[in-house]
Amino acid sequence: MITELRLSAFGRHRGAAFPIGPVTFFAGPSGSGKSQVLAAYEALAGLGAGATLEDTFPDPGARIPDMALPDAQRRRGFRLGCTVDGPAGPVRLDLAVQAEPALRIAGERLSQDGQILFATALRDPGRRSVQAAWLTGGAVGVTRAPLPDDRLGTALLPLRVAGSTAGQRKVLTAAEQVVVALRSVFSCDPHPDRMRAPVPRGDGRLLGDCANLADVLRRTRHECGTRHALLAEAARTGCAGPVAALDVRAPEGGAVTAVLDRGPGRPATELARLGAGELRFLALALVLLTGPGVLDMDPAAELLSAQQALTVLADGLDRGLDGRQGGELLRLAMLSCGRGHVRLVAAVGEGTAAAARRIEGVSVVDLSP
């Protein structure tokens, strides 16, 4: 799991290091950089899963530190990193990205206990590669080879390092620990306007915008009765009016519609008739109560899901929610994250932050503009 996020030079953040716990909220006024912190975390997760720089940073200029001046070669960029704790102990990943004049990795470093295990450097700007070096040990000491300049080298190491020496095995262990943590991230931003219409029957894996919420509820109702019941219980707090159960209408060959069962003698309410806050609440509650198998993500296959900590990223967790809904999400977060297999990192408003400061086990990072 990631235990520290570093923004050495990223947007408005310079020399910043943020500890990450089971539940970590970032609070502060508009312009304080809450969204940039979540964007940095999401970017590292994407790179760890094999995404290119272009896919990860579609607008790299927006990540260049405020008022940063170009060097003599007109180059500007940004730096970020993280620490991942696991069986190998704390492992640091630090990344420097050149955003101008061309988007590319300028340098990367994987280290542990002060020892550099893997590093890359941009030696020849005319070539689309970086020079990489990793610990080998023995008579060779270090192995050098070119790597692509548009992908995270750490994620490529399992394909390049044989693991035949003690040094190579140390590099592989550290790299795999970092990659597992980065790939175990689900970024969630529910869009109520996309959740109202009936959806086609699919594989029941929740998308990041939660547009297929109805199909996922169809799946959880049949496959995980306990979690589905917990979600229905949460809906009684977060949705207006009586809620007897969460149900779906899924005619053979037809689209799936989710409804709130209002109890005997009362007509059910389709999700299309719910308020935006109610829909966001239901989607976020489902994310906190479920796991990687129900979320549209690709966790590392090397470990059992029980050995991985799913991290949920939510920018604007309480956006559009009232105090009752925000409080219930906070309760669900403590319930799920207290078991150790789910972690929540979110940007929140002052109301949720004030409530969270009174709860043991929740870390609130206050940012200033």
Side-chain angles (χ1 to χ4, degrees):
M1 59 187 70
I2 292 178
T3 53
E4 183 182 68
L5 180 67
R6 292 184 297 280
L7 303 184
S8 303
F10 192 89
R12 73 168 310 278
H13 298 285
R14 287 180 178 270
F18 304 113
I20 304 296
V23 180
T24 305
F25 290 158
F26 290 89
S30 178
S32 60
K34 301 186 298 294
S35 294
Q36 289 180 345
V37 174
L38 273 292
Y41 202 131
E42 186 177 4
L44 287 172
L47 292 171
T52 65
L53 284 181
E54 186 176 3
D55 291 336
T56 305
F57 299 107
D59 184 14
R63 306 308 179 192
I64 297 174
D66 298 341
M67 297 181 288
L69 298 175
D71 63 11
Q73 285 74 43
R74 298 184 296 113
R75 295 177 299 186
R76 295 198 304 167
F78 47 88
R79 300 193 309 274
L80 66 165
C82 63
T83 297
V84 177
D85 215 342
V91 177
R92 286 176 58 106
L93 171 67
D94 295 288
L95 183 66
V97 177
Q98 175 188 294
E100 298 172 354
L103 181 63
R104 60 197 310 181
I105 290 177
E108 179 181 349
R109 178 177 294 180
L110 188 71
S111 60
Q112 185 176 25
D113 297 328
Q115 181 184 25
I116 299 175
L117 305 178
F118 166 72
T120 69
L122 182 59
R123 302 295 187 192
D124 184 354
R127 296 185 176 182
R128 294 312 307 253
S129 63
V130 290
Q131 183 64 38
W134 57 83
L135 180 67
T136 303
V140 177
V142 173
T143 299
R144 302 182 189 279
L147 288 179
D149 68 351
D150 65 340
R151 296 180 185 271
L152 190 71
T154 297
L156 300 175
L157 285 178
L159 303 175
R160 299 295 300 268
V161 181
S164 56
T165 69
Q168 289 177 341
R169 288 190 290 273
K170 186 173 184 178
V171 172
L172 281 177
T173 299
E176 289 170 352
Q177 178 168 296
V178 170
V179 170
V180 166
L182 292 179
R183 291 180 61 178
S184 302
V185 171
F186 181 71
S187 184
C188 180
D189 185 12
H191 287 250
D193 56 316
R194 304 175 189 173
M195 300 161 59
R196 300 182 186 279
V199 297
R201 187 188 298 256
D203 60 4
R205 300 182 71 201
L206 189 67
L207 302 174
D209 64 358
C210 303
N212 63 334
L213 176 65
D215 187 49
V216 180
L217 292 176
R218 173 193 61 80
R219 178 183 173 186
T220 59
R221 187 187 65 165
H222 291 292
E223 295 184 7
C224 191
T226 300
R227 289 180 179 177
H228 193 84
L230 287 174
L231 182 61
E233 180 182 341
R236 297 185 186 103
T237 300
C239 296
V243 177
L246 279 170
D247 204 355
V248 293
R249 297 168 180 164
E252 191 67 31
V256 182
T257 302
V259 299
L260 295 184
D261 182 347
R262 297 298 192 177
R266 296 186 177 95
T269 303
E270 294 185 3
L271 260 59
R273 301 181 63 86
L274 298 183
E278 292 176 301
L279 288 172
R280 278 185 55 83
F281 169 82
L282 283 176
L284 291 165
L286 174 61
V287 171
L288 290 174
L289 288 171
T290 187
V294 184
L295 305 177
D296 187 30
M297 57 183 297
D298 185 24
E302 304 92 90
L303 293 179
L304 297 173
S305 59
Q307 296 174 307
Q308 301 183 45
L310 165 69
T311 298
V312 176
L313 298 184
D315 189 4
L317 176 74
D318 53 353
R319 186 171 64 248
L321 306 186
D322 60 27
R324 173 176 50 96
Q325 293 165 332
E328 179 65 6
L329 277 187
L330 189 54
R331 184 189 72 83
L332 293 178
M334 296 306 298
L335 172 67
S336 300
C337 300
R339 299 168 181 166
H341 294 308
V342 177
R343 294 161 69 83
L344 174 63
V345 180
V348 298
E350 183 51 40
T352 300
R357 291 187 189 99
R358 299 191 292 268
I359 299 178
E360 184 178 356
V362 179
S363 301
V364 179
V365 180
D366 291 296
L367 303 175
S368 58

